[in-house]
Amino acid sequence: MKLSVKSDYAARAVLGLARQFHTGESVRAETLAAGQGVPANYLVQILIELKSQQIVKSQRGKEGGYLLARPPAEITLADVLHCIHGEIFDSPALTDPACTPELRNAWRHLKETIEKAANEINFQQLLDQAQNKEKMYYI
């Protein structure tokens, strides 16, 4: 299984917006792109996809930009990956009658494990990890 650069960029964007969530202020796509090391034009396309799944929302106007559509604790890594890729893990063997049942069960188990892990990681946890790391560094 190999995730695309697009999924990494999407996760970076959501994490960047999660860092600003407490302010209630939107972030311009160009600012977010620069802060996350993502090409701005590509990020705008990704933000549109994230918006279509109600992960982010946009504000128009002079102070416009993007912000999370819900709190970081309510957005999982699985939400972002599903938005970008659909299925996180997919194999033709899951529905191939020629695939032996033992192997199909192994693929199914792998898929379920990956889904469970991605659903257990939310963006608030990632923010908390970063804060704990900063606290430990300054001790």
Side-chain angles (χ1 to χ4, degrees):
M1 182 179 131
K2 183 176 180 179
L3 293 174
S4 68
V5 167
K6 187 176 183 181
S7 60
D8 177 45
Y9 288 174
R12 288 187 205 185
V14 172
L15 185 58
L17 293 173
R19 286 187 180 109
Q20 299 299 317
F21 184 77
H22 69 281
T23 69
E25 297 176 7
S26 61
V27 180
R28 295 179 52 89
E30 297 81 13
T31 304
L32 184 61
Q36 300 303 315
V38 177
N41 290 340
Y42 194 32
L43 183 62
V44 170
Q45 295 171 15
I46 293 168
L47 289 167
I48 290 169
E49 289 183 49
L50 293 169
K51 183 180 173 186
S52 74
Q53 296 299 311
Q54 291 83 42
I55 295 172
V56 303
K57 60 184 178 180
S58 62
Q59 286 184 325
R60 293 182 176 211
K62 183 178 175 185
E63 301 298 319
Y66 290 88
L67 59 158
L68 293 183
R70 45 191 202 269
E74 295 178 17
I75 301 171
T76 67
L77 194 54
D79 294 332
V80 173
L81 294 174
H82 284 296
C83 175
I84 300 301
H85 293 293
E87 290 291 327
I88 297 174
F89 179 91
D90 194 18
S91 170
L94 290 169
T95 57
D96 183 356
C99 181
T100 65
E102 303 83 17
L103 191 52
R104 194 170 332 136
N105 286 338
W107 291 127
R108 188 175 298 115
H109 177 69
L110 183 58
K111 177 181 179 165
E112 290 168 358
T113 301
I114 291 168
E115 287 280 342
K116 182 177 185 268
N119 275 307
E120 290 176 351
I121 300 168
N122 69 57
F123 284 86
Q124 185 61 54
Q125 292 169 325
L126 298 176
L127 291 175
D128 294 345
Q129 287 175 10
Q131 287 178 342
N132 289 338
K133 184 178 176 183
E134 289 174 12
K135 287 178 187 175
M136 291 192 67
Y137 181 74
Y138 292 111
I139 289 177

Short mmCIF file of all heavy atoms in Angstrom, two decimals, residues 66-133:
data_model
loop_
_atom_site.label_atom_id
_atom_site.label_comp_id
_atom_site.label_asym_id
_atom_site.label_seq_id
_atom_site.Cartn_x
_atom_site.Cartn_y
_atom_site.Cartn_z
N TYR A 66 -9.62 29.68 4.29
CA TYR A 66 -10.15 28.37 4.67
C TYR A 66 -10.01 28.16 6.17
O TYR A 66 -9.09 28.68 6.80
CB TYR A 66 -9.41 27.25 3.93
CG TYR A 66 -9.72 27.23 2.46
CD1 TYR A 66 -8.98 28.00 1.56
CD2 TYR A 66 -10.76 26.47 1.97
CE1 TYR A 66 -9.27 27.99 0.21
CE2 TYR A 66 -11.06 26.45 0.61
CZ TYR A 66 -10.31 27.22 -0.25
OH TYR A 66 -10.61 27.21 -1.59
N LEU A 67 -10.94 27.38 6.72
CA LEU A 67 -10.87 26.96 8.10
C LEU A 67 -11.55 25.61 8.22
O LEU A 67 -12.28 25.20 7.31
CB LEU A 67 -11.46 27.99 9.06
CG LEU A 67 -12.91 28.42 8.90
CD1 LEU A 67 -13.40 28.98 10.23
CD2 LEU A 67 -13.02 29.51 7.86
N LEU A 68 -11.30 24.93 9.32
CA LEU A 68 -11.93 23.63 9.51
C LEU A 68 -13.44 23.80 9.66
O LEU A 68 -13.91 24.74 10.27
CB LEU A 68 -11.37 22.93 10.75
CG LEU A 68 -9.91 22.50 10.69
CD1 LEU A 68 -9.55 21.76 11.98
CD2 LEU A 68 -9.63 21.62 9.48
N ALA A 69 -14.17 22.84 9.12
CA ALA A 69 -15.62 22.88 9.20
C ALA A 69 -16.13 22.37 10.55
O ALA A 69 -17.27 22.61 10.92
CB ALA A 69 -16.23 22.06 8.07
N ARG A 70 -15.28 21.66 11.27
CA ARG A 70 -15.64 21.16 12.60
C ARG A 70 -14.37 21.06 13.44
O ARG A 70 -13.27 21.16 12.91
CB ARG A 70 -16.39 19.84 12.52
CG ARG A 70 -15.83 18.81 11.60
CD ARG A 70 -16.82 17.65 11.42
NE ARG A 70 -16.14 16.46 10.98
CZ ARG A 70 -15.96 16.13 9.72
NH1 ARG A 70 -16.44 16.88 8.75
NH2 ARG A 70 -15.32 15.03 9.39
N PRO A 71 -14.49 20.85 14.73
CA PRO A 71 -13.31 20.82 15.59
C PRO A 71 -12.32 19.73 15.18
O PRO A 71 -12.72 18.68 14.66
CB PRO A 71 -13.89 20.52 16.98
CG PRO A 71 -15.31 20.98 16.90
CD PRO A 71 -15.75 20.73 15.49
N PRO A 72 -11.02 19.96 15.44
CA PRO A 72 -9.99 18.98 15.07
C PRO A 72 -10.23 17.58 15.67
O PRO A 72 -9.88 16.58 15.05
CB PRO A 72 -8.70 19.58 15.62
CG PRO A 72 -8.97 21.04 15.74
CD PRO A 72 -10.43 21.17 16.01
N ALA A 73 -10.84 17.52 16.85
CA ALA A 73 -11.12 16.22 17.48
C ALA A 73 -12.16 15.42 16.71
O ALA A 73 -12.26 14.20 16.89
CB ALA A 73 -11.57 16.43 18.92
N GLU A 74 -12.92 16.09 15.86
CA GLU A 74 -13.97 15.41 15.09
C GLU A 74 -13.54 15.07 13.67
O GLU A 74 -14.35 14.57 12.88
CB GLU A 74 -15.22 16.29 15.05
CG GLU A 74 -15.85 16.49 16.42
CD GLU A 74 -17.05 17.41 16.37
OE1 GLU A 74 -17.61 17.66 15.27
OE2 GLU A 74 -17.44 17.90 17.44
N ILE A 75 -12.29 15.31 13.33
CA ILE A 75 -11.78 15.00 11.99
C ILE A 75 -10.67 13.98 12.14
O ILE A 75 -9.67 14.23 12.81
CB ILE A 75 -11.25 16.27 11.28
CG1 ILE A 75 -12.36 17.32 11.18
CG2 ILE A 75 -10.69 15.90 9.91
CD1 ILE A 75 -11.88 18.67 10.69
N THR A 76 -10.86 12.83 11.52
CA THR A 76 -9.86 11.77 11.61
C THR A 76 -9.00 11.72 10.35
O THR A 76 -9.37 12.26 9.30
CB THR A 76 -10.52 10.39 11.80
OG1 THR A 76 -11.26 10.06 10.61
CG2 THR A 76 -11.43 10.36 13.03
N LEU A 77 -7.89 11.04 10.49
CA LEU A 77 -7.04 10.81 9.34
C LEU A 77 -7.80 10.02 8.28
O LEU A 77 -7.64 10.26 7.08
CB LEU A 77 -5.76 10.08 9.77
CG LEU A 77 -4.62 10.03 8.80
CD1 LEU A 77 -4.22 11.42 8.30
CD2 LEU A 77 -3.42 9.34 9.44
N ALA A 78 -8.67 9.12 8.72
CA ALA A 78 -9.49 8.36 7.77
C ALA A 78 -10.40 9.28 6.97
O ALA A 78 -10.59 9.07 5.77
CB ALA A 78 -10.33 7.31 8.52
N ASP A 79 -10.96 10.31 7.60
CA ASP A 79 -11.82 11.26 6.89
C ASP A 79 -11.06 11.89 5.72
O ASP A 79 -11.57 12.00 4.61
CB ASP A 79 -12.30 12.39 7.82
CG ASP A 79 -13.23 11.91 8.91
OD1 ASP A 79 -13.94 10.91 8.71
OD2 ASP A 79 -13.25 12.57 9.97
N VAL A 80 -9.83 12.30 6.00
CA VAL A 80 -9.01 12.96 4.98
C VAL A 80 -8.65 11.97 3.87
O VAL A 80 -8.78 12.28 2.69
CB VAL A 80 -7.76 13.59 5.61
CG1 VAL A 80 -6.82 14.14 4.55
CG2 VAL A 80 -8.16 14.68 6.59
N LEU A 81 -8.21 10.78 4.27
CA LEU A 81 -7.81 9.79 3.26
C LEU A 81 -8.99 9.35 2.41
O LEU A 81 -8.85 9.18 1.19
CB LEU A 81 -7.15 8.59 3.95
CG LEU A 81 -5.83 8.90 4.63
CD1 LEU A 81 -5.32 7.69 5.41
CD2 LEU A 81 -4.79 9.37 3.62
N HIS A 82 -10.16 9.17 3.02
CA HIS A 82 -11.35 8.81 2.24
C HIS A 82 -11.71 9.92 1.26
O HIS A 82 -12.13 9.65 0.14
CB HIS A 82 -12.54 8.51 3.15
CG HIS A 82 -12.46 7.18 3.81
ND1 HIS A 82 -12.49 5.99 3.13
CD2 HIS A 82 -12.36 6.85 5.12
CE1 HIS A 82 -12.40 4.99 3.97
NE2 HIS A 82 -12.31 5.49 5.19
N CYS A 83 -11.58 11.14 1.69
CA CYS A 83 -11.88 12.27 0.82
C CYS A 83 -10.98 12.27 -0.41
O CYS A 83 -11.44 12.48 -1.53
CB CYS A 83 -11.71 13.58 1.59
SG CYS A 83 -11.92 15.05 0.58
N ILE A 84 -9.71 12.00 -0.23
CA ILE A 84 -8.74 12.06 -1.31
C ILE A 84 -8.73 10.79 -2.16
O ILE A 84 -8.63 10.85 -3.38
CB ILE A 84 -7.32 12.34 -0.74
CG1 ILE A 84 -7.29 13.67 0.01
CG2 ILE A 84 -6.26 12.30 -1.84
CD1 ILE A 84 -7.69 14.88 -0.83
N HIS A 85 -8.85 9.63 -1.52
CA HIS A 85 -8.68 8.37 -2.25
C HIS A 85 -9.93 7.50 -2.34
O HIS A 85 -9.91 6.50 -3.06
CB HIS A 85 -7.59 7.52 -1.58
CG HIS A 85 -6.24 8.11 -1.68
ND1 HIS A 85 -5.57 8.24 -2.87
CD2 HIS A 85 -5.41 8.63 -0.74
CE1 HIS A 85 -4.40 8.81 -2.66
NE2 HIS A 85 -4.29 9.07 -1.37
N GLY A 86 -10.96 7.80 -1.60
CA GLY A 86 -12.07 6.85 -1.51
C GLY A 86 -11.67 5.79 -0.50
O GLY A 86 -11.52 6.07 0.67
N GLU A 87 -11.43 4.59 -0.98
CA GLU A 87 -10.98 3.51 -0.11
C GLU A 87 -9.52 3.73 0.28
O GLU A 87 -8.70 4.08 -0.57
CB GLU A 87 -11.10 2.16 -0.82
CG GLU A 87 -12.52 1.69 -1.03
CD GLU A 87 -13.21 1.31 0.26
OE1 GLU A 87 -12.55 0.80 1.19
OE2 GLU A 87 -14.43 1.53 0.35
N ILE A 88 -9.21 3.53 1.54
CA ILE A 88 -7.83 3.66 1.98
C ILE A 88 -7.02 2.46 1.50
O ILE A 88 -5.90 2.59 1.03
CB ILE A 88 -7.74 3.77 3.52
CG1 ILE A 88 -8.46 5.03 4.00
CG2 ILE A 88 -6.29 3.77 3.98
CD1 ILE A 88 -8.57 5.15 5.51
N PHE A 89 -7.59 1.29 1.61
CA PHE A 89 -6.94 0.07 1.16
C PHE A 89 -7.92 -0.67 0.27
O PHE A 89 -9.05 -0.91 0.66
CB PHE A 89 -6.56 -0.81 2.36
CG PHE A 89 -5.91 -2.11 1.98
CD1 PHE A 89 -4.55 -2.19 1.85
CD2 PHE A 89 -6.68 -3.24 1.73
CE1 PHE A 89 -3.95 -3.40 1.49
CE2 PHE A 89 -6.09 -4.44 1.38
CZ PHE A 89 -4.71 -4.52 1.26
N ASP A 90 -7.46 -1.05 -0.90
CA ASP A 90 -8.33 -1.79 -1.81
C ASP A 90 -7.47 -2.80 -2.56
O ASP A 90 -6.32 -2.53 -2.89
CB ASP A 90 -9.01 -0.84 -2.80
CG ASP A 90 -10.17 -1.49 -3.53
OD1 ASP A 90 -10.66 -2.54 -3.05
OD2 ASP A 90 -10.57 -0.97 -4.57
N SER A 91 -8.02 -3.94 -2.75
CA SER A 91 -7.35 -4.99 -3.50
C SER A 91 -8.38 -5.73 -4.32
O SER A 91 -9.46 -6.06 -3.82
CB SER A 91 -6.65 -5.96 -2.54
OG SER A 91 -6.20 -7.09 -3.26
N PRO A 92 -8.08 -6.02 -5.57
CA PRO A 92 -9.02 -6.80 -6.38
C PRO A 92 -9.28 -8.18 -5.78
O PRO A 92 -10.32 -8.78 -6.00
CB PRO A 92 -8.34 -6.93 -7.74
CG PRO A 92 -7.10 -6.12 -7.69
CD PRO A 92 -6.90 -5.63 -6.31
N ALA A 93 -8.33 -8.66 -4.97
CA ALA A 93 -8.48 -9.97 -4.36
C ALA A 93 -9.66 -10.04 -3.40
O ALA A 93 -10.19 -11.12 -3.14
CB ALA A 93 -7.20 -10.36 -3.63
N LEU A 94 -10.09 -8.90 -2.88
CA LEU A 94 -11.20 -8.89 -1.94
C LEU A 94 -12.50 -9.40 -2.56
O LEU A 94 -13.37 -9.92 -1.86
CB LEU A 94 -11.40 -7.49 -1.37
CG LEU A 94 -10.31 -6.98 -0.43
CD1 LEU A 94 -10.48 -5.49 -0.16
CD2 LEU A 94 -10.32 -7.77 0.87
N THR A 95 -12.62 -9.24 -3.86
CA THR A 95 -13.85 -9.68 -4.55
C THR A 95 -13.58 -10.72 -5.63
O THR A 95 -14.50 -11.12 -6.34
CB THR A 95 -14.57 -8.47 -5.18
OG1 THR A 95 -13.67 -7.82 -6.07
CG2 THR A 95 -15.06 -7.52 -4.11
N ASP A 96 -12.33 -11.14 -5.75
CA ASP A 96 -11.96 -12.11 -6.79
C ASP A 96 -12.26 -13.53 -6.32
O ASP A 96 -11.65 -14.02 -5.38
CB ASP A 96 -10.47 -11.96 -7.10
CG ASP A 96 -10.02 -12.87 -8.23
OD1 ASP A 96 -10.83 -13.68 -8.73
OD2 ASP A 96 -8.84 -12.77 -8.61
N PRO A 97 -13.21 -14.22 -6.99
CA PRO A 97 -13.53 -15.58 -6.58
C PRO A 97 -12.37 -16.56 -6.77
O PRO A 97 -12.32 -17.61 -6.14
CB PRO A 97 -14.72 -15.97 -7.45
CG PRO A 97 -14.81 -14.95 -8.51
CD PRO A 97 -14.03 -13.76 -8.09
N ALA A 98 -11.40 -16.21 -7.60
CA ALA A 98 -10.24 -17.08 -7.81
C ALA A 98 -9.23 -16.97 -6.68
O ALA A 98 -8.36 -17.83 -6.53
CB ALA A 98 -9.57 -16.75 -9.15
N CYS A 99 -9.34 -15.94 -5.87
CA CYS A 99 -8.45 -15.77 -4.72
C CYS A 99 -8.88 -16.75 -3.63
O CYS A 99 -10.07 -16.87 -3.32
CB CYS A 99 -8.51 -14.33 -4.21
SG CYS A 99 -7.41 -14.01 -2.82
N THR A 100 -7.92 -17.44 -3.05
CA THR A 100 -8.27 -18.41 -2.01
C THR A 100 -8.89 -17.70 -0.81
O THR A 100 -8.53 -16.55 -0.50
CB THR A 100 -7.02 -19.19 -1.54
OG1 THR A 100 -6.13 -18.28 -0.92
CG2 THR A 100 -6.33 -19.89 -2.70
N PRO A 101 -9.81 -18.35 -0.14
CA PRO A 101 -10.47 -17.73 1.01
C PRO A 101 -9.49 -17.29 2.10
O PRO A 101 -9.68 -16.26 2.72
CB PRO A 101 -11.41 -18.82 1.54
CG PRO A 101 -11.65 -19.72 0.37
CD PRO A 101 -10.40 -19.67 -0.46
N GLU A 102 -8.42 -18.07 2.31
CA GLU A 102 -7.45 -17.72 3.34
C GLU A 102 -6.77 -16.39 3.02
O GLU A 102 -6.62 -15.54 3.89
CB GLU A 102 -6.36 -18.81 3.48
CG GLU A 102 -6.89 -20.19 3.77
CD GLU A 102 -7.34 -20.95 2.51
OE1 GLU A 102 -6.98 -20.56 1.39
OE2 GLU A 102 -8.07 -21.94 2.68
N LEU A 103 -6.37 -16.24 1.77
CA LEU A 103 -5.70 -15.02 1.37
C LEU A 103 -6.68 -13.84 1.36
O LEU A 103 -6.34 -12.74 1.80
CB LEU A 103 -5.05 -15.19 0.00
CG LEU A 103 -4.09 -14.10 -0.45
CD1 LEU A 103 -3.04 -13.82 0.60
CD2 LEU A 103 -3.44 -14.49 -1.77
N ARG A 104 -7.91 -14.08 0.88
CA ARG A 104 -8.92 -13.02 0.88
C ARG A 104 -9.19 -12.55 2.31
O ARG A 104 -9.32 -11.35 2.56
CB ARG A 104 -10.21 -13.50 0.23
CG ARG A 104 -11.16 -12.37 -0.09
CD ARG A 104 -12.34 -12.78 -0.94
NE ARG A 104 -11.98 -13.91 -1.77
CZ ARG A 104 -12.74 -15.00 -1.97
NH1 ARG A 104 -13.91 -15.07 -1.46
NH2 ARG A 104 -12.35 -16.00 -2.69
N ASN A 105 -9.25 -13.49 3.26
CA ASN A 105 -9.44 -13.12 4.67
C ASN A 105 -8.26 -12.31 5.19
O ASN A 105 -8.44 -11.37 5.97
CB ASN A 105 -9.65 -14.37 5.52
CG ASN A 105 -11.03 -14.96 5.32
OD1 ASN A 105 -11.95 -14.28 4.88
ND2 ASN A 105 -11.16 -16.24 5.63
N ALA A 106 -7.06 -12.66 4.76
CA ALA A 106 -5.88 -11.89 5.18
C ALA A 106 -5.94 -10.47 4.64
O ALA A 106 -5.67 -9.51 5.36
CB ALA A 106 -4.60 -12.59 4.69
N TRP A 107 -6.33 -10.31 3.38
CA TRP A 107 -6.47 -8.96 2.80
C TRP A 107 -7.56 -8.18 3.51
O TRP A 107 -7.41 -7.00 3.79
CB TRP A 107 -6.79 -9.03 1.30
CG TRP A 107 -5.67 -9.54 0.45
CD1 TRP A 107 -5.74 -10.56 -0.46
CD2 TRP A 107 -4.33 -9.05 0.37
NE1 TRP A 107 -4.52 -10.74 -1.07
CE2 TRP A 107 -3.64 -9.82 -0.58
CE3 TRP A 107 -3.63 -8.05 1.03
CZ2 TRP A 107 -2.30 -9.62 -0.90
CZ3 TRP A 107 -2.29 -7.84 0.72
CH2 TRP A 107 -1.65 -8.61 -0.22
N ARG A 108 -8.67 -8.84 3.81
CA ARG A 108 -9.77 -8.19 4.52
C ARG A 108 -9.33 -7.74 5.90
O ARG A 108 -9.63 -6.62 6.33
CB ARG A 108 -10.98 -9.12 4.61
CG ARG A 108 -12.23 -8.44 5.16
CD ARG A 108 -13.46 -9.35 5.13
NE ARG A 108 -13.79 -9.73 3.77
CZ ARG A 108 -13.74 -11.00 3.29
NH1 ARG A 108 -13.39 -12.00 4.07
NH2 ARG A 108 -14.06 -11.26 2.03
N HIS A 109 -8.59 -8.60 6.59
CA HIS A 109 -8.08 -8.25 7.93
C HIS A 109 -7.14 -7.04 7.85
O HIS A 109 -7.22 -6.13 8.68
CB HIS A 109 -7.37 -9.45 8.55
CG HIS A 109 -6.77 -9.16 9.89
ND1 HIS A 109 -7.52 -8.91 11.01
CD2 HIS A 109 -5.48 -9.03 10.27
CE1 HIS A 109 -6.73 -8.66 12.03
NE2 HIS A 109 -5.47 -8.72 11.60
N LEU A 110 -6.26 -7.03 6.86
CA LEU A 110 -5.36 -5.90 6.67
C LEU A 110 -6.14 -4.61 6.41
O LEU A 110 -5.85 -3.58 7.01
CB LEU A 110 -4.39 -6.18 5.52
CG LEU A 110 -3.33 -5.13 5.25
CD1 LEU A 110 -2.47 -4.89 6.48
CD2 LEU A 110 -2.47 -5.56 4.07
N LYS A 111 -7.14 -4.70 5.56
CA LYS A 111 -7.97 -3.53 5.27
C LYS A 111 -8.65 -3.01 6.54
O LYS A 111 -8.64 -1.81 6.81
CB LYS A 111 -9.02 -3.88 4.21
CG LYS A 111 -9.97 -2.75 3.91
CD LYS A 111 -11.01 -3.15 2.88
CE LYS A 111 -11.94 -1.97 2.66
NZ LYS A 111 -12.75 -2.09 1.46
N GLU A 112 -9.24 -3.90 7.30
CA GLU A 112 -9.94 -3.51 8.53
C GLU A 112 -8.98 -2.89 9.55
O GLU A 112 -9.32 -1.93 10.24
CB GLU A 112 -10.66 -4.71 9.14
CG GLU A 112 -11.84 -5.17 8.31
CD GLU A 112 -12.39 -6.54 8.72
OE1 GLU A 112 -11.82 -7.18 9.65
OE2 GLU A 112 -13.37 -6.98 8.10
N THR A 113 -7.77 -3.43 9.64
CA THR A 113 -6.78 -2.92 10.58
C THR A 113 -6.35 -1.50 10.20
O THR A 113 -6.25 -0.62 11.06
CB THR A 113 -5.56 -3.86 10.63
OG1 THR A 113 -6.00 -5.15 11.04
CG2 THR A 113 -4.51 -3.35 11.58
N ILE A 114 -6.12 -1.29 8.92
CA ILE A 114 -5.73 0.04 8.44
C ILE A 114 -6.86 1.04 8.67
O ILE A 114 -6.62 2.16 9.13
CB ILE A 114 -5.30 -0.02 6.96
CG1 ILE A 114 -3.99 -0.80 6.83
CG2 ILE A 114 -5.17 1.37 6.36
CD1 ILE A 114 -3.62 -1.17 5.42
N GLU A 115 -8.08 0.65 8.35
CA GLU A 115 -9.24 1.53 8.55
C GLU A 115 -9.38 1.89 10.03
O GLU A 115 -9.59 3.06 10.37
CB GLU A 115 -10.52 0.85 8.07
CG GLU A 115 -10.68 0.77 6.58
CD GLU A 115 -11.16 2.06 5.95
OE1 GLU A 115 -11.70 2.93 6.66
OE2 GLU A 115 -10.98 2.20 4.73
N LYS A 116 -9.26 0.89 10.89
CA LYS A 116 -9.40 1.13 12.33
C LYS A 116 -8.33 2.11 12.82
O LYS A 116 -8.63 3.05 13.55
CB LYS A 116 -9.31 -0.20 13.08
CG LYS A 116 -9.50 -0.07 14.59
CD LYS A 116 -9.48 -1.45 15.24
CE LYS A 116 -9.80 -1.36 16.70
NZ LYS A 116 -8.63 -1.23 17.55
N ALA A 117 -7.09 1.89 12.41
CA ALA A 117 -6.00 2.77 12.83
C ALA A 117 -6.22 4.19 12.35
O ALA A 117 -6.04 5.15 13.11
CB ALA A 117 -4.67 2.23 12.32
N ALA A 118 -6.63 4.36 11.10
CA ALA A 118 -6.85 5.71 10.55
C ALA A 118 -8.03 6.39 11.23
O ALA A 118 -8.02 7.62 11.41
CB ALA A 118 -7.06 5.63 9.04
N ASN A 119 -9.03 5.63 11.64
CA ASN A 119 -10.18 6.20 12.34
C ASN A 119 -9.85 6.58 13.78
O ASN A 119 -10.55 7.39 14.38
CB ASN A 119 -11.36 5.24 12.32
CG ASN A 119 -12.17 5.37 11.05
OD1 ASN A 119 -12.58 6.47 10.70
ND2 ASN A 119 -12.37 4.27 10.36
N GLU A 120 -8.81 5.98 14.34
CA GLU A 120 -8.45 6.27 15.72
C GLU A 120 -7.54 7.49 15.86
O GLU A 120 -7.28 7.94 16.97
CB GLU A 120 -7.77 5.04 16.35
CG GLU A 120 -8.75 3.90 16.58
CD GLU A 120 -8.08 2.65 17.11
OE1 GLU A 120 -6.82 2.59 17.14
OE2 GLU A 120 -8.81 1.72 17.49
N ILE A 121 -7.06 8.02 14.75
CA ILE A 121 -6.17 9.19 14.79
C ILE A 121 -6.97 10.42 14.38
O ILE A 121 -7.44 10.51 13.24
CB ILE A 121 -4.98 9.01 13.83
CG1 ILE A 121 -4.16 7.78 14.22
CG2 ILE A 121 -4.11 10.27 13.83
CD1 ILE A 121 -3.13 7.36 13.17
N ASN A 122 -7.14 11.35 15.32
CA ASN A 122 -7.80 12.60 14.96
C ASN A 122 -6.79 13.75 15.05
O ASN A 122 -5.71 13.61 15.62
CB ASN A 122 -9.07 12.85 15.80
CG ASN A 122 -8.77 13.14 17.25
OD1 ASN A 122 -8.04 14.07 17.58
ND2 ASN A 122 -9.38 12.35 18.14
N PHE A 123 -7.16 14.87 14.47
CA PHE A 123 -6.23 15.99 14.37
C PHE A 123 -5.99 16.70 15.70
O PHE A 123 -4.95 17.32 15.87
CB PHE A 123 -6.65 16.93 13.24
CG PHE A 123 -6.30 16.35 11.91
CD1 PHE A 123 -7.15 15.47 11.27
CD2 PHE A 123 -5.08 16.63 11.32
CE1 PHE A 123 -6.81 14.89 10.05
CE2 PHE A 123 -4.71 16.05 10.11
CZ PHE A 123 -5.58 15.19 9.47
N GLN A 124 -6.89 16.56 16.65
CA GLN A 124 -6.63 17.11 17.98
C GLN A 124 -5.51 16.32 18.65
O GLN A 124 -4.65 16.90 19.31
CB GLN A 124 -7.90 17.09 18.85
CG GLN A 124 -7.71 17.76 20.20
CD GLN A 124 -7.33 19.22 20.07
OE1 GLN A 124 -8.02 19.99 19.41
NE2 GLN A 124 -6.23 19.63 20.70
N GLN A 125 -5.50 15.02 18.46
CA GLN A 125 -4.42 14.21 19.01
C GLN A 125 -3.07 14.64 18.44
O GLN A 125 -2.07 14.70 19.15
CB GLN A 125 -4.65 12.72 18.69
CG GLN A 125 -5.83 12.12 19.42
CD GLN A 125 -6.18 10.75 18.86
OE1 GLN A 125 -6.06 10.49 17.67
NE2 GLN A 125 -6.62 9.86 19.75
N LEU A 126 -3.04 14.93 17.15
CA LEU A 126 -1.80 15.36 16.51
C LEU A 126 -1.35 16.71 17.08
O LEU A 126 -0.16 16.92 17.33
CB LEU A 126 -1.97 15.43 15.00
CG LEU A 126 -2.29 14.09 14.32
CD1 LEU A 126 -2.52 14.30 12.83
CD2 LEU A 126 -1.20 13.07 14.57
N LEU A 127 -2.30 17.61 17.30
CA LEU A 127 -1.96 18.90 17.92
C LEU A 127 -1.42 18.69 19.33
O LEU A 127 -0.44 19.31 19.73
CB LEU A 127 -3.19 19.80 17.98
CG LEU A 127 -3.73 20.35 16.67
CD1 LEU A 127 -5.02 21.12 16.92
CD2 LEU A 127 -2.70 21.22 15.98
N ASP A 128 -2.07 17.81 20.08
CA ASP A 128 -1.64 17.53 21.45
C ASP A 128 -0.24 16.93 21.47
O ASP A 128 0.58 17.27 22.34
CB ASP A 128 -2.63 16.60 22.16
CG ASP A 128 -3.98 17.25 22.38
OD1 ASP A 128 -4.10 18.49 22.26
OD2 ASP A 128 -4.94 16.49 22.66
N GLN A 129 0.06 16.06 20.53
CA GLN A 129 1.40 15.47 20.45
C GLN A 129 2.44 16.54 20.21
O GLN A 129 3.52 16.52 20.82
CB GLN A 129 1.47 14.43 19.34
CG GLN A 129 0.76 13.14 19.64
CD GLN A 129 0.76 12.19 18.45
OE1 GLN A 129 1.43 12.41 17.45
NE2 GLN A 129 -0.02 11.13 18.57
N ALA A 130 2.13 17.47 19.34
CA ALA A 130 3.08 18.56 19.04
C ALA A 130 3.29 19.43 20.28
O ALA A 130 4.42 19.82 20.57
CB ALA A 130 2.57 19.40 17.87
N GLN A 131 2.23 19.71 21.02
CA GLN A 131 2.36 20.53 22.24
C GLN A 131 3.17 19.80 23.30
O GLN A 131 4.00 20.41 23.97
CB GLN A 131 0.98 20.90 22.78
CG GLN A 131 0.28 21.95 21.96
CD GLN A 131 -1.11 22.26 22.50
OE1 GLN A 131 -1.68 21.49 23.26
NE2 GLN A 131 -1.65 23.39 22.08
N ASN A 132 2.95 18.51 23.44
CA ASN A 132 3.70 17.73 24.43
C ASN A 132 5.18 17.68 24.06
O ASN A 132 6.04 17.75 24.93
CB ASN A 132 3.14 16.32 24.56
CG ASN A 132 1.79 16.31 25.25
OD1 ASN A 132 1.45 17.23 25.97
ND2 ASN A 132 1.02 15.27 25.01
N LYS A 133 5.46 17.58 22.78
CA LYS A 133 6.85 17.57 22.32
C LYS A 133 7.53 18.90 22.63
O LYS A 133 8.66 18.93 23.09
CB LYS A 133 6.88 17.28 20.84
CG LYS A 133 8.27 17.14 20.27
CD LYS A 133 8.20 16.81 18.78
CE LYS A 133 9.58 16.77 18.18
NZ LYS A 133 9.55 16.52 16.75
#
